[in-house]
Amino acid sequence: MPFPKNIETKLGFNQIRELLNARCLSPMGVYYVERMRFSNRFDIVEKMLVQTKEFQKLLNEESPFPSSHYLDVSPYLYKAKIEGVWLLEEELQSIKLVVQAFIQVATFFRDRTGKYVELESLLAGLIINDLVVRRIDRIIDADGIMRANASAELAKISAKIHEKESEIRKRIQKLFDKYSDLGYLADQIGITIREGRLVLPVLAEHKRHISGFVHDESSTGQTIYIEPTDCFDLNNGLREWQIAYRRERERILLEITDQIRPEIPELEKNLQRLGLFDFIRAKAGLANEMKADLPILSKHPSLQLEKAYHPLLRMSHDKAGLQTIPLSIALNKEKYIVVISGPNAGGKSVCLKTVGLLQYILQCGLLIPCESYSELGIYKEIMVDIGDEQSIENDLSTYSSHLLSMKNFCDFADGKTLFLIDEFGTGTDPQFGGPLAEAILHHLAQKRAQGIVTTHFSNLKNFASQYPGLENASMLFDHENMQPLYQLELGKPGSSYAFELAVKSGLNPHIINYAKNKVGDKQRKVDELLVELEKEKQAVNTMKQKLQEKEVKTQKLLLQYERLNQELDSNKKLLMKKAKQEALALVSEANSKIEATIREIKEQQANSEVQRKARGLVKDEIQQLKTGITEIELVLPDPKKLAQENSELAELQVNDLVSIEGQEAFGQILAIHKNKALVAMGDLRSNIELIKLQKVSEATQKKQAKSSSKGLDFNTKMQHFSHELNVIGLRGEEAVRNLNTFLDEAILLGIKQVRIVHGKGYGILRKLVRAELKSNKFVAQINDEEIELGGDGVTIVTLNT
């Protein structure tokens, strides 16, 4: 069993229990939280964990789980067991709601048979029916009030009561009107009720004028509440019917309680299961908040935590917006004890408590915040020595309490025990505390107990480096900023950085130097060596990280090259096929023209001059045919050349030369913001989406440099430019793309006004076009066309050029 008795407080499990209590919907769920205990039975732990994991999946993937009316009706069921006792309306209503809640839960899993096996097994052997609900619903309405027709006799009595009340009200209303006219009654006070009977509010000075029974008087004594004599008989009759109603009501309640009594054992089982579902739901909800998962379970005592977190620390940091450093550590048959050293406040104790708390809550049936490929076994017991157990009552000092804990460790720990010792060996003279701690560690190692200890003692670091099965570990330290990194590194001991931290704290240098001189040369050199080793290790890790990043980038480029190469092969086949088709079309056309020329010569019996011209025409056709085929060949890409150009393409950066999709001109990137780039094309500046830009390869730049002297043929572009763009029938994305290309060309040519034809229809294309126009900073004005020229089916765009 866990040691010591207050292990839950030492590890922080009591706070986990409080978080679970807050998530329970019912006292039944809280009952299970309070009964939750550490278990060392693999089958029980596995079942609890799988149930929680299934419920976590249910919460994350399913519609809302039934979670209303989780009421604790156990006192009512206990009451109903007693013969001759009846349940009240509100008690019956609560039982009905609980049974309905349980039926909803059972129906939820019945509709998902086979999906949540462990949770479904909790319903095995239970009788699920709505007989109790139907019986209660027959006499109690939705508001928990007995129905007027709960029995024939009750319906008859209720009718009589209603009749008598109506008769009494009529009679007393007449008397009220009569005495009001005489001025005997108090103003602004109507007929009222005292002791269940209708009375008149009579002024004190006129109480002798009205015969009747005085029921009460006002606080001032100025108003007397009198039941008139004329109403005595009627009120007495009403009272008799009310007594009859009470007798019939009690008979009905006794009858329904007798009917429920045989069902109580099954109802108690259902209530117990409802509380269990509430408990598991709370565990799954907490697992979601802790970002917990189900690790791989092992029957053998061992642990391998990967990227694990202290749940309380992580939740606290998440709320504060702080980062939590994950922990990875392993204990097994080969490496069964880890000795952690390092600077003060570097995270040694947090590391120790993280391992202890995660193992403890796992064996209590809770999921833990770590990677799902972590693997944890089941320990027979967990023993911890954390904090101060000083006790005045028991005459224990700090060190005495530690020694008492060590005695228990040495006596009862074995190969199935997980032990955790914080600040091992402290509390006494280091000259003696260190060797004693080493002796205890040696004893635990001989028993092959698995555990973690934290220490500053050098002899323990040396022992861990020499004894098989033990491993040193250290908490990393930032040498530049002189602050801990809270990262655990296995394989080497760490320095306490006592002198470095003293310098940072501003302690007098003379004091620090004096202390250094008091430390032996051997110890000082060892400590300095540890510091240097840690610095070099950090430098190596940084270099390793950079190399890994470069390797990832290289792999991406290699995959990109292979993909482009495949695309080139595929495109080449398509282009070759298309080129052959076009070449055949050119040959066919040329043959037709040649045959027509020969036919014409024969028909006209042409002279030598005509024949010469015909031969010239044939030669021209053949030359055009050769030119056409040559042009087709030029269209075909050279795979090596394209591969070279694609290899030069990289992520777009500032100052890169780029071409715009659909245009011959290219410009230079001045700035990049999110998914757009500011591109300069001469004096023109334009924001263009990155997806429409292509980096210009070196070969293209050289080709462009040769032809740059010719300049852009703006006259030709202007002659062929259409001031109207028709996007009717296009899909939204295609229409926007064509619109942006059209606007870019218009802006480049200095066009002032253009027409966009989008049609009317449902107005979707019109809204899309106008929304895109409004986002373009070069658009100065947007107007509808004249009605006779298209109206709101055409948009007139005025540009800032």
Side-chain angles (χ1 to χ4, degrees):
M1 295 301 292
F3 174 86
K5 293 182 179 179
N6 62 342
I7 185 173
E8 294 190 357
T9 303
K10 286 183 172 293
L11 293 177
F13 185 76
N14 58 324
Q15 298 178 57
I16 298 291
R17 201 185 291 272
E18 290 174 3
L19 292 173
L20 280 174
N21 277 334
R23 281 162 180 75
C24 289
L25 300 173
S26 67
M28 300 93 71
V30 173
Y31 169 76
Y32 279 102
V33 173
E34 297 301 328
R35 289 186 62 208
M36 184 170 53
R37 295 291 183 269
F38 176 90
S39 173
N40 53 23
R41 286 184 52 184
F42 179 84
D43 55 339
I44 293 177
V45 173
E46 183 183 37
K47 185 173 185 178
M48 292 190 297
L49 290 173
V50 173
Q51 288 174 349
T52 307
K53 182 61 181 177
E54 285 185 353
F55 219 117
Q56 185 187 40
K57 179 182 177 183
L58 182 155
L59 293 178
N60 295 335
E61 298 180 3
E62 297 283 356
S63 55
F65 184 76
S67 56
S68 57
H69 303 129
Y70 281 54
L71 307 174
D72 184 11
V73 296
S74 52
Y76 308 151
L77 297 179
Y78 179 80
K79 174 183 176 182
K81 292 179 181 179
I82 304 173
E83 294 285 347
V85 175
W86 61 84
L87 296 173
L88 301 177
E89 289 91 332
E90 58 269 21
E91 296 170 342
L92 290 169
Q93 177 73 353
S94 296
I95 292 174
K96 182 184 80 171
L97 293 175
V98 168
V99 174
Q100 286 177 332
F102 181 75
I103 292 174
Q104 289 173 356
V105 170
T107 304
F108 182 92
F109 288 110
R110 185 178 59 207
D111 294 342
R112 296 160 178 81
T113 302
K115 190 171 183 180
Y116 305 106
V117 179
E118 286 297 333
L119 293 176
E120 289 176 34
S121 67
L122 297 176
L123 299 172
L126 297 180
I127 299 175
I128 303 168
N129 64 64
D130 60 349
L131 179 61
V132 171
V133 173
R134 286 186 279 112
R135 284 175 173 173
I136 296 176
D137 200 44
R138 184 178 59 81
I139 65 168
I140 305 295
D141 63 16
D143 296 323
I145 300 173
M146 183 171 287
R147 299 181 186 275
N149 60 349
S151 70
E153 182 64 19
L154 191 68
K156 174 184 175 183
I157 295 172
S158 297
K160 285 292 185 180
I161 290 174
H162 181 72
E163 178 184 336
K164 286 292 182 181
E165 286 177 343
S166 178
E167 186 177 352
I168 293 171
R169 185 164 290 281
K170 289 179 181 179
R171 176 74 61 87
I172 202 166
Q173 185 64 47
K174 289 182 180 180
L175 295 172
F176 181 83
D177 295 338
K178 173 183 175 182
Y179 292 129
S180 290
D181 294 338
L182 295 173
Y184 293 166
L185 304 182
D187 296 335
Q188 300 179 346
I189 301 179
I191 300 171
T192 186
I193 297 176
R194 289 292 186 275
E195 298 179 2
R197 301 169 83 93
L198 293 174
V199 294
L200 297 174
V202 182
L203 294 173
E205 60 267 26
H206 297 295
K207 64 181 180 180
R208 302 294 181 187
H209 296 101
I210 300 175
S211 175
F213 182 81
V214 176
H215 281 275
D216 197 3
E217 67 175 2
S218 66
S219 57
T220 61
Q222 296 180 358
T223 304
I224 308 297
Y225 297 99
I226 298 176
E227 177 186 357
T229 306
D230 295 348
C231 297
F232 278 179
D233 292 340
L234 292 175
N235 274 325
N236 288 338
L238 175 62
R239 187 61 178 166
E240 290 176 1
W241 284 114
Q242 288 174 340
I243 293 172
Y245 180 91
R246 185 183 66 194
R247 285 197 301 267
E248 180 62 16
R249 167 181 165 272
E250 291 174 355
R251 186 195 67 78
I252 294 171
L253 293 176
L254 183 61
E255 182 181 21
I256 188 67
T257 304
D258 291 341
Q259 292 174 352
I260 291 175
R261 189 171 293 114
E263 311 292 336
I264 289 178
E266 199 61 40
L267 291 177
E268 288 178 331
K269 291 181 182 178
N270 294 352
L271 184 64
Q272 179 260 345
R273 285 295 190 276
L274 196 63
L276 186 56
F277 279 118
D278 184 24
F279 168 60
I280 300 172
R281 186 200 59 80
K283 291 198 296 180
L286 181 61
N288 276 340
E289 186 173 350
M290 295 192 307
K291 300 175 184 176
D293 206 341
L294 175 62
I296 301 170
L297 298 178
S298 171
K299 293 183 179 180
H300 306 290
S302 62
L303 65 85
Q304 182 177 343
L305 289 169
E306 300 291 345
K307 294 183 179 179
Y309 296 88
H310 191 291
L312 300 174
L313 182 65
R314 186 178 191 178
M315 287 190 290
S316 175
H317 280 186
D318 287 348
K319 290 179 181 179
L322 301 174
Q323 181 186 9
T324 308
I325 307 299
L327 167 70
S328 296
I329 193 171
L331 294 175
N332 48 53
K333 292 182 179 180
E334 288 73 31
K335 295 290 184 181
Y336 43 89
I337 297 178
V338 176
V339 178
I340 303 177
S341 53
N344 289 311
K348 299 189 299 297
S349 297
V350 172
C351 174
L352 190 81
K353 290 183 178 180
T354 299
V355 173
L357 179 60
L358 294 187
Q359 186 66 43
Y360 193 88
I361 65 177
L362 180 87
Q363 293 190 227
C364 286
L366 292 170
L367 304 182
I368 61 175
C370 67
E371 294 294 337
S372 59
Y373 53 83
S374 300
E375 184 172 353
L376 283 87
I378 304 300
Y379 289 95
K380 184 180 70 174
E381 57 185 349
I382 298 179
M383 308 180 77
V384 304
D385 182 45
I386 301 174
D388 187 2
E389 288 294 328
Q390 180 174 304
S391 173
I392 297 176
E393 293 82 359
N394 297 324
D395 194 24
L396 284 176
S397 67
T398 300
Y399 189 66
S400 298
S401 66
H402 285 310
L403 287 178
L404 188 59
S405 296
M406 292 305 101
K407 179 182 182 301
N408 283 284
F409 281 35
C410 293
D411 290 345
F412 301 109
D414 57 23
K416 297 180 180 180
T417 302
L418 174 66
F419 68 87
L420 307 167
I421 306 174
D422 191 25
E423 300 294 346
F424 198 17
T426 58
T428 189
D429 188 340
Q431 185 177 355
F432 304 105
L436 185 57
E438 183 178 333
I440 294 171
L441 191 59
H442 179 262
H443 181 78
L444 293 173
Q446 285 183 323
K447 300 183 76 172
R448 302 188 73 83
Q450 298 182 22
I452 302 172
V453 301
T454 67
T455 186
H456 291 284
F457 286 176
S458 298
N459 66 307
L460 296 183
K461 302 175 192 179
N462 295 332
F463 178 74
S465 63
Q466 297 170 5
Y467 196 91
L470 273 67
E471 184 176 20
N472 272 304
S474 61
M475 304 305 298
L476 296 183
F477 193 77
D478 186 346
H479 302 277
E480 294 183 2
N481 300 314
M482 295 302 296
Q483 61 185 16
L485 296 175
Y486 306 108
Q487 296 178 13
L488 179 69
E489 184 181 54
L490 297 172
K492 69 178 186 65
S495 170
S496 296
Y497 293 94
F499 294 135
E500 288 80 2
L501 291 173
V503 171
K504 183 184 177 184
S505 67
L507 194 63
N508 192 312
H510 297 293
I511 298 175
I512 297 174
N513 291 330
Y514 181 86
K516 286 182 178 181
N517 292 329
K518 296 298 289 183
V519 177
D521 290 340
K522 182 178 178 181
Q523 180 61 38
R524 186 170 65 252
K525 288 179 180 179
V526 169
D527 198 63
E528 290 174 353
L529 181 60
L530 287 175
V531 172
E532 290 301 321
L533 284 173
E534 192 163 338
K535 288 181 180 179
E536 291 178 6
K537 184 69 178 290
Q538 288 183 6
V540 170
N541 287 338
T542 302
M543 184 65 68
K544 183 180 178 181
Q545 185 177 359
K546 290 181 179 179
L547 289 174
Q548 288 175 344
E549 291 174 356
K550 288 183 179 180
E551 185 179 357
V552 171
K553 190 174 182 180
T554 303
Q555 289 294 332
K556 287 183 179 178
L557 289 174
L558 182 61
L559 290 174
Q560 183 182 6
Y561 172 78
E562 292 175 352
R563 179 178 58 80
L564 290 172
N565 201 24
Q566 291 175 357
E567 290 178 0
L568 285 173
D569 290 340
S570 177
N571 291 337
K572 181 180 178 181
K573 293 178 182 178
L574 294 174
L575 290 171
M576 285 291 292
K577 183 178 179 182
K578 183 178 179 182
K580 288 178 181 179
Q581 292 174 349
E582 292 182 2
L584 289 173
L586 287 172
V587 172
S588 177
E589 183 182 354
N591 284 334
S592 298
K593 290 183 178 181
I594 292 170
E595 290 173 1
T597 303
I598 294 171
R599 190 165 51 248
E600 183 180 351
I601 292 171
K602 288 180 179 180
E603 290 174 355
Q604 296 180 2
Q605 297 179 353
N607 54 30
S608 59
E609 181 63 25
V610 173
Q611 292 179 11
R612 185 181 62 78
K613 291 182 178 180
R615 282 195 297 271
L617 181 61
V618 170
K619 288 181 179 179
D620 291 342
E621 290 296 333
I622 292 172
Q623 184 61 37
Q624 289 180 9
L625 174 62
K626 290 180 178 179
T627 304
I629 293 174
T630 303
E631 289 177 353
I632 291 172
E633 290 175 349
L634 289 174
V635 172
L636 292 174
D638 182 356
K640 293 183 179 179
K641 185 177 178 181
L642 281 178
Q644 181 181 355
E645 291 180 358
N646 282 320
S647 66
E648 295 172 358
L649 295 179
E651 294 183 0
L652 295 177
Q653 298 177 354
V654 176
N655 296 326
D656 281 350
L657 290 176
V658 293
S659 63
I660 304 171
E661 182 182 330
Q663 297 186 23
E664 297 177 0
F666 64 84
Q668 186 177 28
I669 295 180
L670 300 180
I672 297 177
H673 181 65
K674 293 185 179 179
N675 61 341
K676 288 190 177 183
L678 178 63
V679 180
M681 294 176 288
D683 294 331
L684 182 67
R685 304 287 188 274
S686 179
N687 278 311
I688 303 172
E689 294 180 2
L690 292 175
I691 196 171
K692 295 181 180 179
L693 299 177
Q694 294 180 345
K695 186 176 180 181
V696 178
S697 64
E698 293 181 3
T700 307
Q701 292 181 37
K702 292 176 182 178
K703 183 179 177 181
Q704 186 71 16
K706 292 180 180 179
S707 60
S708 60
S709 58
K710 299 178 182 179
L712 289 171
D713 191 354
F714 283 97
N715 292 330
T716 302
K717 284 185 174 289
M718 185 66 77
Q719 289 174 5
H720 292 88
F721 181 76
S722 172
H723 286 65
E724 179 178 292
L725 174 67
N726 191 330
V727 296
I728 295 176
L730 298 181
R731 296 176 66 86
E733 183 179 352
E734 185 180 2
V736 171
R737 185 167 59 249
N738 289 357
L739 173 63
N740 286 328
T741 302
F742 177 72
L743 291 176
D744 290 343
E745 192 168 350
I747 294 167
L748 189 64
L749 296 175
I751 306 298
K752 293 291 185 183
Q753 194 174 78
V754 293
R755 299 174 82 248
I756 312 298
V757 181
H758 44 66
K760 297 180 180 180
Y762 293 105
I764 298 174
L765 198 55
R766 175 177 179 271
K767 291 180 181 178
L768 194 63
V769 167
R770 294 210 168 185
E772 188 66 23
L773 288 171
K774 289 178 181 178
S775 66
N776 194 317
K777 69 178 184 179
F778 290 101
V779 175
Q781 194 172 0
I782 302 172
N783 296 307
D784 290 339
E785 179 61 279
E786 299 293 335
I787 296 177
E788 60 271 13
L789 297 178
D792 59 1
V794 179
T795 297
I796 304 298
V797 183
T798 304
L799 299 171
N800 286 324
T801 57

